[in-house]
Amino acid sequence: MKKMIFSLAMLALSASVVAQQQLWGRAEVKSPVVNVDGTVTFNFFAPDAQKVAVSGDFKEIGQETLAMTKNDRGVWSVTTRALNPELYSYSFLVDGHRILDPATTYVNRDVTTLMDIFIVSKDKGDKGYLYKVNEVAHGDVAKVWYDSPTLKMKRRMTIYTPAGYDKGKRYPVLYLLHGAGGDENAWSELGRAAQILDNLIAQGKAQPMLVVMPNGNPNCQAAPGEWSQGMYIPGHGAIKTKPAAEFPESMMDIVNYVDSHYKTIKKREGRAVCGLSMGGGHTFAVGKLFPTKFDYYGLFSAAIHMSGGNGKSTYERLNGDETVKKQLATLFGSSPKLYSIWIGNEDFLFQQNVDYRKFLDEHGYKYEYHENDGGHIWRNWRIYLNEFAQKLFK
Amino acid sequence: MKKMIFSLAMLALSASVVAQQQLWGRAEVKSPVVNVDGTVTFNFFAPDAQKVAVSGDFKEIGQETLAMTKNDRGVWSVTTRALNPELYSYSFLVDGHRILDPATTYVNRDVTTLMDIFIVSKDKGDKGYLYKVNEVAHGDVAKVWYDSPTLKMKRRMTIYTPAGYDKGKRYPVLYLLHGAGGDENAWSELGRAAQILDNLIAQGKAQPMLVVMPNGNPNCQAAPGEWSQGMYIPGHGAIKTKPAAEFPESMMDIVNYVDSHYKTIKKREGRAVCGLSMGGGHTFAVGKLFPTKFDYYGLFSAAIHMSGGNGKSTYERLNGDETVKKQLATLFGSSPKLYSIWIGNEDFLFQQNVDYRKFLDEHGYKYEYHENDGGHIWRNWRIYLNEFAQKLFK
């Protein structure tokens, strides 16, 4: 059969239309450049700029701003020290304006802010490798609309099905919950959940599993721009009619949908739930509300919220709430396979988790505790997902 | 059951962590503001800037740049004339730098360029409404990995399944192909395919159907950043080992995967194929290569590429290629339900399509022809999808 040839010349022609011209205009420079020694070079062409810097999360904690210097071709540059394997985010500061790097198109949104991203990885054993898309079998990722009778609306969630899912066996399910300001896109974008699972499964470190990432804002059907409220400014102040705590009450709507539409293990031992910050609070609540439905729990930097604040500590509130105490007694009495708490030692929710652990310890409730460095940031939540996922369904 | 209350105060607290602070920082201004009269106001806070403008596709053809003026609070603003219903894209020009609007997070990537987007819609009958997410039933959108024996690789595609797909009946399938520089994300993002289909189906104007959006670059497994080549600079020059014309030869790999994994009508009358630019060329090629597998064809701004150029016109090349003439004779002899050609009168591929129509006319091959204003732009391709989809499977 004779082949039709698209010549490169023709392709170049199609690229040169006036209306499309700018789309194809390569940046004058390459940026960011992840060097073999783990240093990263940023380049920005701006001959007339007075002051250029790059600002990013290059340190373990907080942002760092590095001044860039201009060469005689008008290119501003700076090279970082060697960075640890990680997914980093940054932007440029140009004469007082925050600018995304025009030489890259890889951007994450965190609540209201867009930032350029890049990944440093040295070898297969490091974190950066886990966050990259590697030459391994990939799971599918779907945006799925389900009905929530509890919240009385159709709602959108993200569902990861592992490679090989179409081959017929039944799979366990991890329900993965985001924090305040997030949505059903947060874990798959900022959290690199699909990449982490693809890579862990390929390495034999995690069981093949579905990962279900719902929208934890009970007021919203979907992420900003993905439902009928239009292109509103993201953030939890944007849409409010219901307290966030109503979300966990709708959790079984999600489980029922997933169990009736996917090849799942429709039993406790086939279900895990975890979440970060507000989603850690939701995980805490799911445990109380549905104590025998999930066998694995992960509270990541959890907001252990309890009613009846008024200056009382989380510990006092837990002890003062007979309903919650009874619910937790049922939960821990049913011996879940794993109840785990994960937090960084600089997390602003650290004390709440100290209080909760004190309560659990006094009642003799069994749990795992994982403490690491750092605060309330995605860098930690990706680590927790990586480690938690390896503990499941084995 | 006693409710756990997340107080707004607690949520505010969780938002105030240093590391997260900037994520929540609302822009000082709201932008863009689509006013009720269809004018659009852009606002940008930059008290120290010398010159600020907005550049966007506000005209029917080409870009337009509007100077902005600063008020005494340091906010630069401009209001457009009333804009027709449409999806628009823009960015700011600030002292010589192109900057995305910090007050919005809605961004599309077109090949190498990120642009902010907004939608103008006046009523349910207009184009803008079709591109919005409205309060209608939504289909699901999945990123799916399939095996292509022809191209010898696993590849990623986007699949839209209409609302109600889970209820059990079988659906027809539209195969929707992107142009050069695009990928499996192009039609669902720039093309608003899921929104157009949701809205057409909700209005009873289109049959419920699956829409399958593969990656038309035979050298790539997936969109930039979604496969093992890392976060490379997008554009067809980035990855090249095979001519683009090899993609159509793999078309039945996709059909076979879809027919074996989804509830489809596995017959010619349940299959349509269309595409823009290179994807229009792919559609032309699919018709030649698999003349009895699809019943509906849409060539949008098609690159009717033929081997044996050397200064010859498309018409001369068609007439000089006995293989192609035989293939097209088979195709049109099999009486497809719809063969349609769509192009704007300012499209740089206009003459190729004049030539192809001349060839079709001389052979008495039946086709529909749709010509409108404008050039080789997404604005036209969304219109063509909207109109083509309404002609299918009826």
Side-chain angles (χ1 to χ4, degrees), chain A residues 1-4 6 10-11 13-14 17 19-20 22-26 46 49 63 94-95 97 99-100 105-107 109-115 117 119 133-135 138-145 166 180-181 221 224-228 231-234 236 244-246 249 261 278 282 285 289 305 307 321 348 352 376-377, chain B residues 1-4 6 10-11 13-14 17 19-20 22-26 46 49 63 94-95 97 99-100 105-107 109-115 117 119 133-135 138-145 166 180-181 221 224-228 231-234 236 244-246 249 261 278 282 285 289 305 307 321 348 352 376-377:
Chain A
M1 188 177 296
K2 191 169 174 185
K3 281 186 188 168
M4 179 184 67
F6 276 83
M10 281 309 296
L11 283 169
L13 176 60
S14 74
V17 213
Q20 297 260 301
Q22 70 165 343
L23 306 177
W24 298 87
R26 287 295 181 79
Q63 291 285 303
V94 182
D95 295 339
H97 307 297
I99 295 187
L100 291 180
T105 57
Y106 301 96
V107 167
R109 176 179 68 83
D110 197 355
V111 194
T112 61
T113 305
L114 301 179
M115 297 284 272
I117 60 168
I119 292 172
V133 180
N134 297 304
E135 189 63 47
H138 303 299
D140 296 343
V141 178
K143 303 297 176 183
V144 174
W145 287 86
D166 55 340
Q221 293 179 15
E226 299 290 351
W227 58 305
S228 59
M231 295 182 177
Y232 60 87
I233 299 172
H236 52 234
E246 289 192 14
E249 295 172 16
H261 287 74
M278 176 182 83
H282 286 162
L289 295 170
H305 288 303
S307 59
D321 190 323
F348 78 106
Q352 283 193 22
H376 205 74
I377 53 177
Chain B
M1 187 178 298
K2 191 170 178 184
K3 282 185 189 168
M4 179 184 66
F6 277 82
M10 280 310 295
L11 283 170
L13 175 60
S14 72
V17 213
Q20 298 260 300
Q22 70 166 342
L23 306 178
W24 298 87
R26 288 295 182 79
Q63 292 285 304
V94 182
D95 295 339
H97 308 296
I99 296 188
L100 290 180
T105 57
Y106 300 96
V107 167
R109 175 179 68 84
D110 197 354
V111 195
T112 61
T113 304
L114 301 180
M115 298 283 272
I117 59 167
I119 292 173
V133 181
N134 296 306
E135 188 64 47
H138 303 300
D140 296 344
V141 177
K143 303 297 176 184
V144 174
W145 287 87
D166 56 340
Q221 292 179 15
E226 299 290 351
W227 58 305
S228 59
M231 295 181 178
Y232 60 87
I233 298 172
H236 53 234
E246 288 193 15
E249 294 172 16
H261 287 74
M278 176 182 82
H282 286 162
L289 296 171
H305 288 302
S307 59
D321 190 323
F348 79 106
Q352 282 194 20
H376 206 74
I377 53 177

Side-chain angles (χ1 to χ4, degrees), chain B residues 32-88:
Chain B
V33 180
V34 180
N35 304 304
V36 286
D37 60 357
T39 64
V40 178
T41 304
F42 300 95
N43 296 302
F44 180 67
F45 178 73
D48 298 328
Q50 299 305 306
K51 194 177 170 191
V52 179
V54 60
S55 176
D57 55 356
F58 313 134
K59 298 188 298 185
E60 284 302 307
I61 310 276
Q63 292 285 304
E64 183 172 12
T65 299
L66 303 172
M68 297 168 75
T69 53
K70 187 169 72 166
N71 70 12
D72 54 10
R73 287 168 289 113
V75 177
W76 298 77
S77 299
V78 69
T79 296
T80 67
R81 65 187 175 285
L83 299 181
N84 291 326
E86 186 51 78
L87 182 150
Y88 294 93

Side-chain angles (χ1 to χ4, degrees), chain B residues 145-156:
Chain B
W145 287 87
Y146 71 100
D147 186 42
S148 175
T150 305
L151 296 174
K152 297 183 181 57
M153 58 168 105
K154 299 273 185 186
R155 309 187 79 244
R156 189 171 179 262

Side-chain angles (χ1 to χ4, degrees), chain A residues 53-100:
Chain A
V54 59
S55 176
D57 55 355
F58 313 133
K59 297 188 299 184
E60 285 301 309
I61 309 276
Q63 291 285 303
E64 183 172 12
T65 299
L66 303 172
M68 297 168 76
T69 54
K70 187 168 71 166
N71 70 12
D72 54 10
R73 288 168 289 113
V75 177
W76 297 77
S77 299
V78 70
T79 296
T80 66
R81 65 187 174 284
L83 299 181
N84 291 325
E86 184 53 79
L87 182 150
Y88 293 92
S89 61
Y90 73 100
S91 55
F92 291 145
L93 299 169
V94 182
D95 295 339
H97 307 297
R98 200 177 75 80
I99 295 187
L100 291 180

